[in-house]
Amino acid sequence: HADAAMYRVKEEGRNNFSFYSNGLNESAKKRLIMEKEMYVALEAGHFEVFYQPQVNLKTNKIIGAEALLRWNHPQKGLIRPGKFITLAEETGLINPISTWLLNTVCAQLHIWQQTDLPSITVAINLSPRQFMQNDLYQRINQALINHQVQTGSLKVEITENLMIKDIERVTQTLLDIKALGVSIAIDDFGTGYSSLSTLKNFPIDQLKIDKSFIEQLNLDENANSLIQTIIALGHNMHMDVVAEGIETLEQLNCLKAWNCDVMQGYYFSRPLPVAAMTALLHRENMPPDEQSISA
Ligand code: C2E
Ligand code: MG
Ligand code: MG
Ligand code: MG
């Protein structure tokens, strides 16, 4: 019996060991495969920019869009950034991907600007690591020049966590970028680690209320207070305020009543491939327009 028990302990130990080591190997293997696949995807043109409309609450017109990265994987289909951005960051691949995205967006802005469509502003996301690249200013400047983009039509979204890095350097880079006519938005506002005192020293044009607050709207009294406070804070600091993640008419109507400036969310539109975004720009108003104005 003792032998049998001992045998079982050893056996289980070994199984556990191989279970864990296989586990590690598997995830390491997956990362390696994914890293290679991202290289290939960039070469093969398998990344795509989707555009999510942003709507002015007072006029109900599309005034801008956020550019969101998608990976069109030949086997797995459309992959959202949550699944690959971190690895792209860790491997440094985010830099060529983001240069590609910047140029794709600028080229698209130029195409839209050649038509008689009302002008819109497109925002791109920059992670803290991308923001700290030495050649960021140069890359943005080059993309704007190469594609003859109209001044004022590009925006960058940064996160609060950038504002606790090298404050002087970040401020200088923001000022340099703004001198190119690019505006600055703080994404996911209210979820990061910035302090209000640093916020006031940065040249920010827009606050984007994080969608986790919008999700709690009318479900949590504190969420309502927080949202109204962020709107007032933004306005008092001469910034526009955008609400992201609007999914319902109820949320929309509250935000209107609270004087929020811009809306972005599934209630209006999901992020769209460029052709669908262009078609939407050709329409006068956003689809849910009658309901939202009359309700
Ligand atoms: P984000 O910049 O905060 O973008 C908003 C995210 O919310 C997008 O997710 C968008 O699809 C989603 N969203 C918009 N409206 C709604 C809504 O009504 N309900 C819900 N549940 N979600 C909504 P997505 O496209 O998956 O992007 C996730 C994050 O990945 C982005 O968050 C951004 O941080 C990052 N990301 C996307 N594209 C890029 C990029 O080109 N570069 C970098 N560095 N990060 C990117
Ligand atoms: Mg964003
Ligand atoms: Mg956000
Ligand atoms: Mg986010």
Side-chain angles (χ1 to χ4, degrees):
H1 286 264
D3 280 350
M6 184 50 101
Y7 178 75
R8 207 167 58 234
V9 167
K10 273 188 177 165
E11 209 38 32
E12 276 172 14
R14 192 157 69 216
N15 285 342
N16 277 342
F17 172 75
S18 67
F19 175 77
Y20 286 121
S21 65
N22 275 343
L24 282 180
N25 283 334
E26 278 310 302
S27 76
K29 250 190 262 168
K30 273 192 183 154
R31 281 170 55 97
L32 258 167
I33 291 170
M34 201 171 194
E35 187 182 344
K36 274 191 198 146
E37 284 184 333
M38 280 194 287
Y39 274 107
V40 174
L42 191 57
E43 293 280 299
H46 291 167
F47 285 106
E48 191 174 339
V49 181
F50 274 43
Y51 296 86
Q52 187 175 33
Q54 297 178 330
V55 177
N56 179 313
L57 262 172
K58 295 196 177 75
T59 61
N60 210 42
K61 304 264 189 246
I62 301 177
I63 47 132
E66 178 172 6
L68 294 159
L69 185 61
R70 296 290 182 266
W71 177 0
N72 247 320
H73 192 283
Q75 281 86 42
K76 295 174 195 154
L78 213 57
I79 309 179
R80 289 175 59 156
K83 294 258 195 263
F84 63 88
I85 280 274
T86 309
L87 185 60
E89 291 256 334
E90 287 165 6
T91 58
L93 258 174
I94 192 69
N95 289 318
I97 294 173
S98 123
T99 300
W100 167 85
L101 180 128
L102 172 67
N103 280 281
T104 304
V105 165
C106 286
Q108 188 55 49
L109 273 168
H110 180 70
I111 292 171
W112 283 328
Q113 287 163 359
Q114 294 306 101
T115 68
D116 56 2
L117 288 168
S119 55
I120 63 161
T121 304
V122 175
I124 62 168
N125 291 281
L126 291 179
S127 63
R129 175 169 172 168
Q130 289 171 263
F131 191 89
M132 300 310 271
Q133 292 287 312
N134 285 323
D135 61 349
L136 178 72
Y137 170 84
Q138 202 41 46
R139 280 192 292 151
I140 294 178
N141 190 26
Q142 268 311 299
L144 291 172
I145 292 170
N146 289 349
H147 302 284
Q148 301 167 274
V149 176
Q150 274 169 23
T151 308
S153 50
L154 186 71
K155 182 182 291 173
V156 302
E157 294 189 4
I158 57 173
T159 57
E160 276 173 85
N161 296 344
L162 184 68
M163 307 199 299
I164 55 174
K165 304 238 163 187
D166 184 343
I167 292 180
E168 266 176 37
R169 186 168 158 214
V170 170
T171 309
Q172 191 52 52
T173 306
L174 288 172
L175 289 170
D176 291 345
I177 294 174
K178 274 175 73 83
L180 296 173
V182 175
S183 51
I184 315 288
I186 304 269
D187 205 356
D188 306 335
F189 186 74
T191 61
Y193 297 104
S194 71
S195 71
L196 295 176
S197 63
T198 55
L199 182 69
K200 90 173 164 23
N201 295 323
F202 284 92
I204 306 298
D205 303 286
Q206 191 172 65
L207 292 182
K208 296 187 79 177
I209 306 173
D210 190 65
K211 60 178 178 295
S212 61
F213 300 128
I214 308 300
E215 205 175 277
Q216 289 300 306
L217 195 153
N218 278 355
L219 300 175
D220 175 344
E221 247 176 65
N222 290 332
N224 285 17
S225 315
L226 241 151
I227 294 166
Q228 288 169 274
T229 303
I230 294 175
I231 294 171
L233 174 73
H235 288 166
N236 289 335
M237 292 172 88
H238 311 289
M239 300 171 188
D240 282 347
V241 182
V242 181
E244 1 179 56
I246 312 261
E247 296 188 353
T248 70
L249 183 59
E250 185 189 355
Q251 293 167 340
L252 173 78
N253 285 331
C254 284
L255 288 154
K256 247 185 206 174
W258 297 339
N259 240 340
C260 189
D261 304 291
V262 180
M263 300 284 151
Q264 182 184 338
Y266 294 170
Y267 179 73
F268 292 108
S269 170
R270 292 192 169 247
L272 301 170
V274 66
M277 180 67 198
T278 305
L280 202 56
L281 288 174
H282 281 283
R283 295 172 56 162
E284 271 285 286
N285 291 302
M286 288 300 291
D289 139 61
E290 292 84 6
Q291 311 157 40
S292 58
I293 279 175
S294 60

